[in-house]
């Protein structure tokens, strides 16, 4: 017995020493290559020599070997059923604008954080509150006063109906005719069904707060009650049988819930950080301060995904989305989909997860390294582009697995930042290179997939972003030598926007129009090539 014990101890010591030896070699390699570029270059030359010999003598192309991460197979499907092609409404910092170049400044307020606004799926209609008043606006930015005494409002996913309170009274407003229907004598925090006929809200009965559901064809009834908390309804189905809501300030029950055909089910604990719902408002993909969860009617309990990290953002791509409610941290979205796996991802800063599965989606680690990442969905499914050690990488799903490969290579220096367009067919990057005096310089390049990168301009590199892609106008904006330029998608034409620009600012409210600081430090917002005040 003693000999076996000694043998076990010996094995453990050998393994520990081997690990220590290997770790020391690796640490030494990283240190010497970090401080001595010549040694780093020699290591790379040896690696390239091995790669060349493998190709010449064995027919193995090591440059094509791809690193993979395991994941269950899933066939990604294109989602989206909308065919609207008219003007679309956006809002940033209190400025309302459309994608046809028009900007409305009537509701801008200095030092404001933007409007409490919600949009239908096509962004052809929106409703917003300001200074106790409620307005409805269309894609041409023509607005109508709905109520001069209102604190809460929302518009339905399909458009055409607005739920709002006038004083304490809860009403349903038809956009086309202006007709109103009183739904309740007292109702707050309304959310409206996709077809605009059913509303969920909270009110009081004595000292208790309750969540109610009612509408044109749904008899008003309560689905939840709390003696100490308050509710924020977030989504309701057309038939009123599925209602999602958050309960706060109830010490024993705080969390996010679903009333599933009259049965209350707790989906997640903690406060709500973001939520996505399918177009029928029945399936939910929810992020709280505790976890990320998926739920659909009929499930005994929610499925908690194994995604952790301080920053957990729900992202969606390639589909229209109605903004059902504006929340403190991010809006509540209704997506034009019946399957989150085909449109949604989760980013945590250092990692990116995609989803796979129809009935109950499971998380799959798409990216687990690098920084400066960008995500989207292509015909291959989810794709992430990012930087690691000065190189641009791309990871995508292939045959059910996450496959990593070079996005493009740049031999003249190290890539410091990368910026992608909407479909990843092109990008702009900042490269650190050497000038004639062997000093570090930073140059801006445009890259189109399959072609050689093209030099754009000299720039600088810092924590402040120097390049932006504007989804609304489909243009590039970049800063070079304190001048802000605008360029078309392929950099065929460029114009000067501002000749005293220092950097883009990180702050984002609403639809994230570009904010930049001038050389005096004053902030401005850039919307449809118009420079507007922000301070």
């Amino acid at each position: 017995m003693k000999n076996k014990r000694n043998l076990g101890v010996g094995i453990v010591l050998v393994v520990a020493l081997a690990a220590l030896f290997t770790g020391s070699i690796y640490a030494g390699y990283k240190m010497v290559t970090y401080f001595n570029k010549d040694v780093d270059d020699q290591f790379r030359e040896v690696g390239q020599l091995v790669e060349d010999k493998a190709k010449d003598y064995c027919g193995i192309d090591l440059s094509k070997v791809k690193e993979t991460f395991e994941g269950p197979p899933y066939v990604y499907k294109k989602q989206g059923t909308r065919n609207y092609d008219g003007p679309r409404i956006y809002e940033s910092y209190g400025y309302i604008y459309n994608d046809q170049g028009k900007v409305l400044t009537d509701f801008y307020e200095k030092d404001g954080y933007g409007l409490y606004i919600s949009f239908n799926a096509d962004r052809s209609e929106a409703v917003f509150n300001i200074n106790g008043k409620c307005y409805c606006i269309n894609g041409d930015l023509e607005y109508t006063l709905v109520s001069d005494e209102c604190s809460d409002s929302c518009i339905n996913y399909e458009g055409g109906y607005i739920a709002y309170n006038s004083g304490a009274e809860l009403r349903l407003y038809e956009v086309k005719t202006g007709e109103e229907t009183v739904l309740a004598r007292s109702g707050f925090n309304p959310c409206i069904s996709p077809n605009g006929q059913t509303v969920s809200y909270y009110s009081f009965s004595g000292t208790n707060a309750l969540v109610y559901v009612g509408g044109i064809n749904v008899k008003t009834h309560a689905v939840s009650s709390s003696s100490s908390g308050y509710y924020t309804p977030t989504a309701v189905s057309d038939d009123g049988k599925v209602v999602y809501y958050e309960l706060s300030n109830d010490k024993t029950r705080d969390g996010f819930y679903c009333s599933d055909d009259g049965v209350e089910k707790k989906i997640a604990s903690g406060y709500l950080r973001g939520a996505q719902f399918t177009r029928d408002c029945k399936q939910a993909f929810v992020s709280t301060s505790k976890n990320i969860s998926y739920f659909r009617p009929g499930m005994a309990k929610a499925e908690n995904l194994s995604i952790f990290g301080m920053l957990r953002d729900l992202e969606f791509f390639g589909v229209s989305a109605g903004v059902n409610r504006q929340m403190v941290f991010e809006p509540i979205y209704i997506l034009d989909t019946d399957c989150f796996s085909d449109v949604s991802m989760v980013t945590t800063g250092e990692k990116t997860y995609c989803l796979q599965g129809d009935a109950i989606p499971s998380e799959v680690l798409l990216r687990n390294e690098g920084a400066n990442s960008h995500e989207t969905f292509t015909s291959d499914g989810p794709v992430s582009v990012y930087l690691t050690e000065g190189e641009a990488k791309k990871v995508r799903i292939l045959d059910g697995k996450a496959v990593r490969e070079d996005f493009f290579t740049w031999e003249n220096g190290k890539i410091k930042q990368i910026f992608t367009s909407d479909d990843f067919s092109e990008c702009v990057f900042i490269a650190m290179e050497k000038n004639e005096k062997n000093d570090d310089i930073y140059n801006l390049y445009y890259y189109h997939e399959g072609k050689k990168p093209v030099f754009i301009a000299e720039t600088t590199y810092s924590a402040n972003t120097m390049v932006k892609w504007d989804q609304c106008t489909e243009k590039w904006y970049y800063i070079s030598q304190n001048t802000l330029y605008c360029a078309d998608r392929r950099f065929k034409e460029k114009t000067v926007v501002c000749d005293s620009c220092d950097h883009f600012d990180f702050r984002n409210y609403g639809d994230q129009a570009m904010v930049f600081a001038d050389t005096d430090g004053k902030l401005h917002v850039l919307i449809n090539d118009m420079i507007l005040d922000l301070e």
Side-chain angles (χ1 to χ4, degrees), residues 28-37 39-40 414:
Y29 159 74
K30 295 297 288 185
M31 183 175 69
V32 72
T33 54
Y34 179 83
F35 288 106
N36 193 324
K37 189 177 185 303
V39 174
D40 185 35
K414 286 190 174 182

Side-chain angles (χ1 to χ4, degrees), residues 13-29:
L13 287 174
V14 169
V15 172
L17 288 171
L20 179 62
F21 180 69
T22 303
S24 299
I25 292 175
Y26 179 74
Y29 159 74

Side-chain angles (χ1 to χ4, degrees), residues 265-383:
K265 299 176 181 179
K266 190 171 187 177
I267 296 176
S269 300
Y271 61 84
L272 185 64
R273 296 179 56 173
Q276 298 174 359
F277 300 94
T278 51
R279 64 173 73 93
D280 59 4
C281 280
K282 292 188 176 181
Q283 300 179 58
F285 188 35
V286 178
S287 175
T288 70
S289 56
K290 299 292 185 181
N291 49 30
I292 291 180
S293 307
Y294 168 81
F295 183 82
R296 70 191 305 160
M299 292 177 63
K301 62 178 182 178
E303 182 76 13
N304 291 329
L305 279 66
S306 301
I307 299 176
F308 304 100
M310 290 296 292
L311 300 175
R312 299 192 308 272
D313 294 324
L314 305 183
E315 309 282 355
F316 68 90
F317 306 88
V319 291
S320 300
V323 178
N324 204 25
R325 292 189 61 87
Q326 288 283 3
M327 303 293 284
V328 174
F329 293 100
E330 65 177 83
I332 303 300
Y333 291 106
I334 302 176
L335 307 184
D336 186 19
T337 186
D338 57 15
C339 181
F340 293 118
S341 295
D342 298 323
V343 299
S344 298
M345 286 189 248
V346 181
T347 59
T348 66
E350 60 184 13
K351 296 181 180 180
T352 299
Y353 297 84
C354 61
L355 305 175
Q356 295 190 24
D358 283 308
I360 300 178
S362 59
E363 72 279 10
V364 174
L365 183 62
L366 183 66
R367 174 186 66 91
N368 69 346
E369 65 174 7
N372 192 206
S373 70
H374 306 266
E375 285 75 31
T376 194
F377 275 80
T378 68
S379 57
D380 294 323
V383 175

Side-chain angles (χ1 to χ4, degrees), residues 177-189:
T177 64
E179 294 182 0
E180 294 182 313
T181 302
V182 176
L183 297 178
R185 294 300 176 187
S186 177
F188 307 94
N189 280 358

Side-chain angles (χ1 to χ4, degrees), residues 493-518:
E493 298 179 359
K494 67 177 182 180
T495 57
V496 174
V497 178
C498 177
D499 59 6
S500 60
C501 180
D502 187 72
H503 64 269
F504 288 114
D505 193 80
F506 281 110
R507 70 177 64 189
N508 285 314
Y509 299 109
D511 288 305
Q512 303 185 3
M514 284 173 288
V515 175
F516 70 90
D518 61 24

Side-chain angles (χ1 to χ4, degrees), residues 96 107 115-118 126-137 142-156 161-167 169-175 180 190:
I96 305 175
F107 300 100
L115 300 172
Y116 185 96
I117 188 169
S118 66
V127 62
F128 61 93
N129 291 20
I130 184 171
N131 298 327
K133 297 181 179 181
C134 175
Y135 295 88
C136 175
I137 190 168
E142 300 167 338
Y143 58 89
T144 302
L145 177 66
V146 176
S147 173
D148 57 6
E149 187 182 2
C150 177
S151 59
D152 299 304
S153 65
C154 58
I155 195 166
N156 66 313
Y161 294 91
I162 293 170
Y164 75 98
N165 60 359
S166 181
E169 198 171 69
L170 183 65
R171 300 181 181 182
L172 185 65
Y173 176 90
E174 187 174 355
V175 174
E180 294 182 313

